[in-house]
Amino acid sequence: MNARKCEKDQRNSELKVRKAIENDNKDVARVYAEIAVRKRREHLMYLRLATYLDANLSRLDANLYLLDIQANCKLVGSIVESLDSAVAVGDLQKMLETINKLENQFVDMKVDQVSPSTAEVSSLMQQSIGQIQTAVHAIPMKDKIKKVDEDDLTRRFAELKSRAATRI
């Protein structure tokens, strides 16, 4: 938002420079030009800062996702250890309980982080439908052009035939 505000201020300052030059007031124009240059630099600084923050946020998200996977792996590891002890003892009931825990753990893992939201999917589908409708409406136009060209060729061919017939 700050970048957009600086860009707007820059444009306003540039307009003021033009007006000051039109009024033959070069000192005021110079001041507004300096302000415009300063706002342009500030705009670029905000864009760099936003890019830097986005990159770091992406890294943090990736690290959190990896930590979540690591926690799930530790939990799965503890379940596997309990399954090993149940197999060593030969306790069928304990084995079934441990296997159920393992299955529930895989079901509970967060897969939502990679799946797109329904709003994104709906938006993309609406865009695709719009593009398809545009393409469908464009196709009959091409067919009409081809038909006109074919009719034109047929007419020309008929004229050539009649000219050839009159010459013979």
Side-chain angles (χ1 to χ4, degrees), residues 149-160:
D149 290 342
E150 290 173 6
D151 291 341
D152 189 40
L153 288 173
T154 307
R155 181 186 52 80
R156 286 186 196 173
F157 184 67
E159 287 176 5
L160 287 174

Side-chain angles (χ1 to χ4, degrees), residues 48-64:
R48 274 189 236 121
L49 180 63
T51 304
Y52 177 75
L53 289 174
D54 285 343
N56 284 325
L57 183 64
S58 175
R59 287 186 199 126
L60 286 174
D61 283 344
N63 286 339
L64 287 174

